[in-house]
Amino acid sequence: MEKRVKKAIFPAAGLGTRFLPATKASPKEMLPIVDKPMIQYAVEEAAACGIEEFIIITGKYKRAIEDHFDSAYELEESLKKSGKKKLLEEISRLNHINFAYIRQRAALGLGHAILCAKPFVKDEPFAVLLSDDVIDAEDTLLKDMIKFYEELDCPILALQQVPGAEIQRYGVIDGVAEGDGIYKINNLVEKPRTEDAPSDLAIIGRYILTPDIFRVLECLSMGKGGEIQLTDALRGLLKNRSIYGYLFKGRRYDAGDKVGYLKATVDLALKNPQVSEPFKEYILNVASRLKK
Ligand code: UTP
């Protein structure tokens, strides 16, 4: 089996119910954070880690994603003519990337979305990035996970400590710390009640998986919420091989949630040189108004 992680899957076929009505007829993954759709942050993160093949799982009302990553001939010509070099560079920066699109016919869950990519992944390890989990570009989460995968030759799941009341929104692990932020996983539970959660370590939207997950996914029936759950497949896989978690200590925004999205927007705007100064002034102004 190929050992290098060259492929990445970006599941983007979910219904985005937490962000309605914005996501009624347009993709959640295309919601902009400052000036880029959230899926572009994930694509750039993967490209920075040496990923070479990009597989996007799309569904109904998701055509805008394909258009966004396509060349925009007319727009590029017009920017060329008007000498807007910087903008031209910005919109054509990812033109060298080749994307494959696979349509998930019904939103049957994250596990099912990943199974749809089986013909493209073949016999290779692959990364999965959920683009509504936005990770600051300064963090090296995915890079670190790839490094641990190459050392351990086992699937690696990104983990984050989350407060008790929020744990029921996540897949949660039971595991043993082995140093360097690595946990050997003993069990996984999807969306446990707070009192039943085996730990405060939640699985977040970055994974390095191996192709044997497909065999488990193919045999899986519907789990929590009537969906084919990736967490259930990972629990099945655990019977045959070790799986590790890697504890992420940086900043992650759950931008599929309205408040998480607003936090991501504020923090990333404050870091964006084009808008940070006037935006900071505005934020300070709001803060002083709120104090009164
Ligand atoms: P979420 O759990 O955020 O689900 O999916 P969702 O449907 O997008 O949003 P809510 O919870 O209803 O608000 C995590 C990721 O998995 C993808 C989503 O597009 C998102 O990137 N996904 C989810 C699929 O591709 N297919 C599915 O059937 C479900």
Side-chain angles (χ1 to χ4, degrees), residues 11-19 28-29 57 62 104 106-110 113 130-132 191 227 256:
L15 299 178
T17 49
R18 286 171 296 154
F19 228 115
K28 166 174 74 176
E29 295 76 12
I57 311 297
K62 304 281 183 167
Q104 186 188 17
L108 298 179
L110 177 59
L130 306 187
S131 51
D132 51 355
K191 300 189 176 69
E227 294 190 338

Side-chain angles (χ1 to χ4, degrees), residues 32 47 63 83 90 96 105 131 133-134 169 174 183 205-206 217 242 245 250 266 274 276 280 282 284-285:
R63 289 283 295 276
E90 184 55 46
H96 64 285
R105 285 168 183 266
S131 51
D133 262 351
V134 174
R169 303 210 306 251
D174 178 14
Y183 284 75
R206 299 292 181 275
L217 280 168
S242 300
V266 170
Q274 276 176 31
S276 60
K280 188 172 158 192
Y282 177 69
L284 290 172
N285 200 300

Side-chain angles (χ1 to χ4, degrees), residues 89-164:
E89 249 171 56
E90 184 55 46
I91 67 150
S92 45
R93 205 156 43 81
L94 301 180
N95 281 4
H96 64 285
I97 293 182
N98 267 323
F99 292 92
Y101 295 93
I102 301 174
R103 188 115 165 169
Q104 186 188 17
R105 285 168 183 266
L108 298 179
L110 177 59
H112 181 261
I114 289 171
L115 182 57
C116 292
K118 183 183 170 199
F120 280 74
V121 169
K122 300 196 181 93
D123 195 26
E124 288 187 35
F126 57 98
V128 175
L129 292 92
L130 306 187
S131 51
D132 51 355
D133 262 351
V134 174
I135 306 279
D136 196 307
E138 283 170 19
D139 281 309
T140 55
L141 172 62
L142 194 66
K143 232 177 229 151
D144 297 341
M145 291 173 73
I146 292 175
K147 187 188 85 180
F148 282 119
Y149 166 76
E150 285 166 356
E151 271 171 32
L152 298 164
D153 200 14
C154 288
I156 313 278
L157 320 180
L159 305 174
Q160 199 170 41
Q161 277 180 311
V162 304

